[in-house]
Amino acid sequence: MSLHFVNEYAETFSDLVSEQDIAADGQSTPRLFNQALWQQLGGEPIRAETLTARLDGEQQWPGIRPLAQKYAGHQFGHFNPYLGDGRGLLLGEVKTPTGEFYDLHLKGAGPTPYGRGGDGRAVLRSSIREYLASEAFAALGIPTTRALLLTSTEGQIQRERIEPGAMLLRVAKTHVRFGHFEHCYYRRLPQQQRQLWDYVIARQWPELNDATPTAQFRRVTERTALMIALWQAYGFIHGVMNTDNMSLLGETFDYGPYAMFDSYQPEKIFNHTDQGGRYSFTRQPGIGRWNLQRLQVALSASMDVTEFTSVIDEYEPLIQTFYFQQMRQRLGLTQVEPGLARELIAGWLQLLEAHQLDYNRSFIELERYVTESAAGELSVVGEAWLRQYLDAVNEAPDIAAMQQVNPVVTLRTHLLSEVISAAEQGDDAPLTSYLEALERPFQRCLWGSHWAQPPAEEIAPGSLSCSS
């Protein structure tokens, strides 16, 4: 069975798109293919080489209708009206056998009218980073776009150095961003804006079709709060939370100079483009609120947003609730009174920061200490906290809860660099092995594996650029 393309977006929002063909950068070679996701979309059994040939134009792909989307956005706090898909094409909308809708989007497909003079290409390095991150997040249960196919191309792309080119085919429930509505607001397109809003609601949250705009905006607020709360709970720094990088559905979107903590350094800036630290780890929750406020302003073009202010006031309590729920489970405090649980969570974070302990690994070490007396380091640096913790859980934390949410294998910058370096030399074995580990992050048997190890002490945490 072939994918069932519907492509109503292309037919409905011609004012917000430019249709154009894929312009592959030479012949492509498949590197990673998500066969399980392809089947979930309703695709027939297919070889990665066949799908790659369709992207290269060597074979026809019936049903696709490639287009670049126009949007705007606030970048590092400043409005930019000249944004859009500069190197990516929305290939089409797919309706799955279960009735769900997904977008197929190809990055690195060539220049578009919205590229602002860019080359329209993607590099292998950043494409690997996005592929691994999106699949790692899916395994962790963090809302995210997905990765379907990664290819390398014959192109040699100039970034901070000359790098091998790539294309990344990704899947999302929608590629509509906060920035779409900002574009409509600043270009005075109220009818198209409301039509787009209603379109996304009908496709993704049909139960809200007859709800008020306030109730619909509340869903956007809730999903945004949940996404960012999970980022905070797992020590993830997105790096570029511009409004054009915010999905209306609260899916982690446009992975660039992201990082996950090794040692817990909540004030460290991982994106060297972000000189002022606007998108630092500690500021992410507040930026989520700021972005929702920009969306409220934009939507005033087509609906009464008066009550949206009170909805945004619900955001901070929501993110605190979601965060507390996740951290309570991560520490096995599910049966502990909430006030004491919050005190223990705060003390745990203070301990990790003061002693520069490895963030995600420390949760596993705590679990091992309780079950096997294996984490002696914890009893040395956190003896007072540990005593309070054990008293609170009556010597028996909820281990089952901890094992459901605490990953042994996470995204680590030094491991990403390792597999990227090998892949750039044509060796995909480390890349495939790391991906397989990231897809089953909770398996305790991986504790001693290479992919669970923190960086050596002499490897300082580096910073990344927006080209990452």
Side-chain angles (χ1 to χ4, degrees), residues 28-30 47-57 149 151 167:
S28 302
T29 302
R47 298 172 62 246
E49 289 78 8
T50 301
L51 186 55
T52 300
R54 292 179 180 179
L55 298 180
D56 279 353
L149 176 72
T151 74
M167 292 194 293

Side-chain angles (χ1 to χ4, degrees), residues 251-326:
E251 293 185 320
T252 311
F253 204 40
D254 287 345
Y255 294 89
Y258 71 81
M260 289 186 80
F261 286 129
D262 293 314
S263 59
Y264 184 54
Q265 302 180 58
E267 299 302 327
K268 178 175 171 54
I269 309 304
F270 290 90
N271 177 4
H272 67 60
T273 310
D274 188 11
Q275 297 292 330
R278 175 180 176 83
Y279 298 141
S280 67
F281 176 75
T282 55
R283 294 185 181 179
Q284 288 183 145
I287 291 295
R289 178 188 174 98
W290 192 90
N291 288 345
L292 286 165
Q293 290 171 327
R294 303 289 75 71
L295 180 61
Q296 176 189 10
V297 170
L299 290 172
S300 67
S302 64
M303 61 187 78
D304 182 358
V305 301
T306 306
E307 296 181 1
F308 288 16
T309 300
S310 61
V311 173
I312 292 176
D313 287 342
E314 299 170 13
Y315 168 82
E316 186 173 344
L318 276 170
I319 202 169
Q320 290 178 352
T321 297
F322 291 140
Y323 177 77
F324 173 65
Q325 290 172 345
Q326 195 71 13

